[in-house]
Amino acid sequence: MIVVTGATGNIGRPLTRALAEAGEQVTAVSRNPAEVPEGVRHVQADLARPDTLPLDGAKALFLLLSGDLHAVGASPTALIERAVAHGVGRVVLLSSLGVRTRPFGTTRIELRGLEDVLRESGLDWAVLRPGGFASNALWWAESVRARRTVAAPFGDTGVPVIDPADIAEVAAVALRSDRNGVLELTGPEVVTPRQQAEAIADALGEPVRFHELTRAEAKAGMEQLMPGELADDTLDIIGSPTADELAVSPDVEKVLGRAPRTFGDWVARNVEAFR
């Protein structure tokens, strides 16, 4: 049995489906009630309370930590300890490319520490380090639906965003593998916010205006959703990506035998969110 945490999200949902379609016995874990594919068991659990994570009989665990886990004071290492205690053979951890490219942010320090705990646990393991997500464009869905406008800072600065479905496919392979290691996951090309707006327009068949925000305007909006420190950190990354953050990783193609999906591919599958 394979346990998938974050099973209702942009990665967990397609991962659960892929594993079920491959004939695996899957337990989908989320904090709230959820619909899951036929034949998949669903369990409500809160990762801030590791004792609620259902691991009896599990051979593998996909571990996706929500951003607020650290805020509630839970110890993510307790989840690894619980996996060891329950005889789980393998853990695939969703981490972040920033663990390598920007190692000193608070969240990334915690993720790096968790990676180290996993490596030293005695379990088989894989660490997935994605860069920016194509699905972050859903932040613009309301403004596109209402005003056919994308408003974002740094309009001509981009990174090779990855389709969460590709992360899910890589995770499905990693969960059934016996190879340990770190995989860095990116899309096939750098795409800027302005180009993302153009891709959304193409998918809709209608013009979409791009409005460039100042950094201060962007931060003010982001602070409605996250602490100011995290907003500044995010703006630093998207405004001044490093050479490593601009690089296209070969790891998706190595694992899946095909190139990563483009941002346009992601938009085509999710266009109804913008219509």
Side-chain angles (χ1 to χ4, degrees):
M1 186 258 288
I2 298 175
V3 175
V4 176
T5 63
T8 60
N10 290 323
I11 298 170
R13 187 178 294 110
L15 171 57
T16 298
R17 184 171 57 249
L19 291 171
E21 290 174 351
E24 296 287 351
Q25 181 182 354
V26 183
T27 294
V29 176
S30 65
R31 280 189 295 186
N32 301 310
E35 292 185 9
V36 295
E38 184 176 354
V40 171
R41 171 191 179 213
H42 178 261
V43 175
Q44 283 185 250
D46 186 349
L47 297 191
R49 295 176 52 208
D51 60 300
T52 66
L53 184 61
L55 293 178
D56 289 341
K59 69 176 182 180
L61 167 65
F62 177 70
L63 189 54
L64 186 159
L65 305 178
S66 61
D68 60 357
L69 178 64
H70 311 282
V72 299
S75 171
T77 59
L79 297 165
I80 305 297
E81 293 164 359
R82 182 170 173 80
V84 172
H86 279 72
V88 175
R90 183 168 181 80
V91 172
V92 175
L93 172 66
L94 186 73
S95 184
S96 167
L97 182 62
V99 168
R100 179 172 69 82
T101 62
R102 297 177 189 256
F104 300 114
T106 301
T107 300
R108 294 184 291 277
I109 290 172
E110 293 174 339
L111 277 173
R112 185 170 67 250
L114 188 57
E115 288 184 10
D116 291 342
V117 169
L118 179 56
R119 288 188 187 92
E120 296 164 4
S121 67
L123 300 172
D124 285 342
W125 59 274
V127 170
L128 310 184
R129 291 179 178 169
F133 285 23
S135 54
N136 288 346
L138 290 171
W139 294 344
W140 305 323
E142 182 179 355
S143 67
V144 173
R145 288 194 303 267
R147 300 181 296 279
R148 289 294 189 257
T149 298
V150 165
F154 316 121
D156 298 306
T157 301
V159 293
V161 295
I162 184 165
D163 189 325
D166 282 344
I167 302 174
E169 286 192 34
V170 171
V173 173
L175 283 161
R176 294 176 290 166
S177 172
D178 59 0
R179 297 182 60 183
N180 295 350
V182 174
L183 296 169
E184 295 188 345
L185 308 179
T186 72
E189 60 189 356
V190 170
V191 57
T192 68
R194 196 182 305 275
Q195 290 169 332
Q196 290 180 50
E198 292 169 357
I200 294 168
D202 289 344
L204 289 170
E206 299 180 27
V208 173
R209 184 173 71 94
F210 181 80
H211 171 65
E212 185 157 5
L213 300 175
T214 66
R215 179 179 175 121
E217 289 170 336
K219 182 179 178 180
M222 294 168 69
E223 284 182 321
Q224 299 178 30
L225 303 172
M226 64 185 71
E229 180 184 1
L230 182 56
D232 274 326
D233 186 50
T234 302
L235 289 165
D236 287 344
I237 294 170
I238 65 176
S240 301
T242 67
D244 286 339
E245 290 162 343
L246 291 168
V248 172
S249 169
D251 287 352
V252 170
E253 187 160 7
K254 285 181 180 177
V255 174
L256 301 181
R258 61 162 177 80
R261 295 175 175 93
T262 66
F263 180 78
D265 294 332
W266 178 86
V267 173
R269 295 199 326 276
N270 293 276
V271 67
E272 291 307 314
F274 301 95
R275 198 174 294 284

